[in-house]
Amino acid sequence: MIRKNLDFIEHELDIATEPAVRFAIEEAIARRKYDEASTQLKISEMELLLSGLSQP
């Protein structure tokens, strides 16, 4: 879901012309990329935790 939103926002950046609008869109992209990375890290941590629990 985050990736889909990020693709849409990056498309909006391509068509934006005003500097203030471009800046706001770039900020939104940075937040989405952070969210995506944070979510992936949490998933990796949870997988690691679960793999440790499944071992005897």
Side-chain angles (χ1 to χ4, degrees):
M1 186 65 167
I2 294 172
R3 182 80 239 163
K4 187 181 219 181
N5 290 335
L6 188 55
D7 291 340
F8 173 77
I9 294 171
E10 287 173 338
H11 171 70
E12 292 296 310
L13 180 62
D14 290 340
I15 60 176
T17 56
E18 294 188 28
V21 173
R22 290 186 62 81
F23 177 78
I25 293 172
E26 288 169 350
E27 288 294 309
I29 289 170
R31 281 193 306 274
R32 296 304 188 293
K33 286 182 178 181
Y34 173 82
D35 290 347
E36 185 176 42
S38 178
T39 299
Q40 187 56 48
L41 180 61
K42 289 177 184 176
I43 290 169
S44 296
E45 289 173 346
M46 200 55 113
E47 287 173 341
L48 185 60
L49 178 66
L50 291 173
S51 70
L53 290 176
S54 65
Q55 296 177 355

